[in-house]
Each structure stands twice: as structure tokens, then as C-alpha cells.
Amino acid sequence: MTTTLNPPATSKPDGEGSVQVHLDPTMAIEEGALVLAVYGKGGIGKSTTSSNLSAAFSKLGKRVLQIGCDPKHDSTFTLTKRMVPTVIDILETVDFHTEELRPEDFVFEGYNGVMCVESGGPPAGTGCGGYVTGQTVKLLKEHHLLEETDVVIFDVLGDVVCGGFAAPLQHAHYCLIVTANDFDSIFAMNRIMQAINAKAKNYKVRLGGVIANRSEETDEIDKFNARTGLRTMAHFKTVDAIRKSRLKKCTIFEMESTPEVVAVQEEYLKLARRMLDDVEPLEAESLKDREIFDLLGFD
């Protein structure tokens, strides 16, 4: 099974100039569930990856909860076949009186029993994504919806690494970073690494590894991994069936079986098994911006 991770014994600042609020211990997700946070450059395929990974865990018999942490609330629509109401939208209808809500008001069952929640977000420029994440977890705990969950996946907005959008890292055991084999994606991955390492000073979150996505080759990713201590946990090439599955509002496990589709399904199942049975926390170190240019740039 996965390595048990504990927060450091002594608390340190999350980062120089940090104004982040520490997690209330009563809001921690129950021990026993594997909690993952999926990050990566905007548009890199995090929601598709998260949903297919949730489906893979469910195929292995696990009880899965996916939490979309993006104001555009489209993380789970390939699982549910629709854009479900967000936690913030639902809370507004009851003037934030959580006792008036029922689980079915904000938790929706998706493909193969995966439970889906979209946290939503405040209007642009008016609030913090960290507050929204906190309210979502609080609501799930109040309704005892996390107590019998085996895997929780946070699908997090883009490559924003402010305190708000780094909030899921306070709950996660491991962070998986989705990247393509190009400079911009790897540059964003490096910034995300910095956020994870900052959170690891006070919380149990650790780097789980890299998911190479939409990339025929991984030479640039491999070069970055070798320099920083990261590892690639799964590799998904540019497969048209993956693109079509999102257009069809379904997971890759619901697509017509072809050798190409089966290969992608097996890669997701392999990743899920690794996260359950064979993952070790990484002690990778990020690079300075100039170092990435020198490592990956062209003469």
C-alpha cells in the first residue's frame, strides 16, 4: 500500500512573505483515503487525466471522490455527462446555511460509481479559491461523505500557485503534475514543484511524480527529471480517442475498444495501481528560472 505520510513535527513558514492560513486540524480528510492533487499548466489536460484516473481507480474496486477546483466547473463532466451545480452556487441558494443541504444537492454520481463534486469559485477578482476549497471539504465532512472514501482526487485550476489555489495541497498525500514535453509546460511544472515543497514544510503532501501528456516523446521531461529528481509515472501520447472522449462527454473507458484505446486504458490502470501500491514520496528540488532556460533552451 502507499507510504504513510505525516506532517513535519515542527511548523515552519509556508514561504517568504506568506499570508496563507494554516489548515484547521478538524478539517483534515480522514486517515485511510489516498488523497491526490492534480496540477499542471492551464489547458494541459488535467481534467481529462483526473477523470480517467478516477475511472481507473473505480475499475480497481475503489470508492472514488473527484473534486473539481476550477471556477469553470468542468472537471467532472466526462464522468457525469453534464455540468453539475457547484458547491458555491448551492450554498448561495441557502444563504450559506449548510444545515439546509442534503448530500444529493452537491454530490453527483458519475461513471462506475465515481462521486463528483464541483467546488466552483468566486467571481473573478472578488475572492479566493482557497476559501472555496475549504468550504467544499467542510461540507463533505459535515455530511460524513469522506469517511468511506478510498481515493480523493483534487483537480486544480491551471498553474496558479498562490495560497488559494495551493489549498488542496494542505489535504493531499501526493501531487501529480501533468505536463507536455515542451518548455512552457515544464516551466509551469517547476513553479508547481516550488509550491509543493513549500507546503511540505507544514503538511504531509509530497511529490508523487509526473504524468506526461499529449507528447510523442519525453526527452525534455526526462532531462528535467534527471536534473531535479522527479520521475514519470505515466505517459499518454497524442491519441485522438482521448480528444474524442471529451467531446462525447465520456471517459476513455467508455470508448469503443480498439488497440489504441485499450493501451490508454491500461496505462491509466497501471498508474492507479502504482499510486495505491508502489509509490514513494520524492525529495525533488526545483530549478531557478535561469537554470531551466539553460537546461532546455536552444542555442
Side-chain angles (χ1 to χ4, degrees):
M1 291 298 291
T2 54
T3 303
T4 300
L5 300 177
N6 295 306
T10 58
S11 218
K12 300 178 182 179
D14 280 352
E16 185 177 354
S18 173
V19 294
Q20 298 175 47
V21 177
H22 287 290
L23 177 69
D24 180 347
T26 65
M27 288 298 104
I29 294 176
E30 286 77 5
E31 292 296 329
L34 172 65
V35 185
L36 307 176
V38 180
Y39 282 77
K41 180 179 177 292
I44 200 64
K46 294 179 300 301
S47 293
T48 300
T49 300
S50 297
S51 295
N52 286 330
L53 183 56
S54 288
F57 278 119
S58 76
K59 288 286 190 179
L60 299 178
K62 301 302 179 183
R63 297 164 296 184
V64 186
L65 171 66
Q66 182 168 319
I67 303 174
C69 302
D70 190 327
K72 69 179 185 293
H73 61 95
D74 64 344
S75 172
T76 61
F77 87 92
T78 58
L79 292 163
T80 62
K81 318 305 183 215
R82 63 191 180 104
M83 302 281 279
V84 301
T86 71
V87 167
I88 291 301
D89 288 341
I90 296 297
L91 283 172
E92 285 180 342
T93 66
V94 295
D95 199 25
F96 288 83
H97 292 292
T98 58
E99 69 278 3
E100 297 183 22
L101 295 180
R102 302 165 300 172
E104 56 265 32
D105 292 329
F106 57 92
V107 181
F108 303 89
E109 185 171 347
Y111 171 74
N112 206 37
V114 175
M115 304 310 294
C116 302
V117 177
E118 292 285 354
S119 62
T126 65
C128 177
Y131 168 80
V132 178
T133 298
Q135 288 298 303
T136 299
V137 173
K138 180 180 179 181
L139 195 58
L140 291 167
K141 287 183 69 72
E142 286 179 354
H143 289 269
H144 307 286
L145 296 172
L146 293 169
E147 294 173 5
E148 296 184 356
T149 302
D150 298 315
V151 180
V152 179
I153 296 180
F154 286 94
D155 174 19
V156 190
L157 169 66
D159 50 358
V160 181
V161 292
C162 72
F165 289 113
L169 298 176
Q170 295 179 337
H171 299 282
H173 297 107
Y174 294 101
C175 180
L176 293 170
I177 306 176
V178 183
T179 186
N181 193 48
D182 62 60
F183 177 85
D184 289 343
S185 301
I186 295 172
F187 189 90
M189 176 164 62
N190 189 68
R191 296 297 305 279
I192 294 164
M193 287 177 63
Q194 293 168 4
I196 297 163
N197 288 336
K199 284 293 186 183
K201 295 176 182 178
N202 290 323
Y203 302 100
K204 56 193 172 186
V205 65
R206 296 294 184 271
L207 281 159
V210 179
I211 299 174
N213 195 42
R214 298 178 184 168
S215 301
E216 301 309 302
E217 307 296 334
T218 62
D219 54 313
E220 298 296 286
I221 297 171
D222 295 341
K223 192 184 300 183
F224 182 80
N225 288 353
R227 178 72 172 270
T228 61
L230 275 178
R231 65 176 164 227
T232 298
M233 299 291 285
H235 178 198
F236 300 101
K237 297 183 179 182
T238 304
V239 175
D240 199 45
I242 299 176
R243 181 188 65 84
K244 287 182 177 178
S245 70
R246 192 157 178 86
L247 294 175
K248 290 176 178 289
K249 302 185 180 70
C250 70
T251 69
I252 194 67
F253 291 92
E254 299 164 85
M255 294 293 285
E256 181 182 354
S257 182
T258 67
E260 187 179 54
V261 167
V262 170
V264 175
Q265 293 172 347
E266 287 300 321
E267 186 73 355
Y268 272 110
L269 290 166
K270 177 183 173 183
L271 173 60
R273 292 189 189 99
R274 287 190 71 181
M275 295 309 301
L276 288 168
D277 301 328
D278 192 32
V279 65
E280 293 289 339
L282 291 172
E283 298 296 335
E285 293 293 333
S286 60
L287 302 180
K288 299 291 186 182
D289 291 352
R290 182 70 256 174
E291 292 177 310
I292 302 178
F293 277 95
D294 292 340
L295 179 67
L296 303 179
F298 295 95
D299 294 330

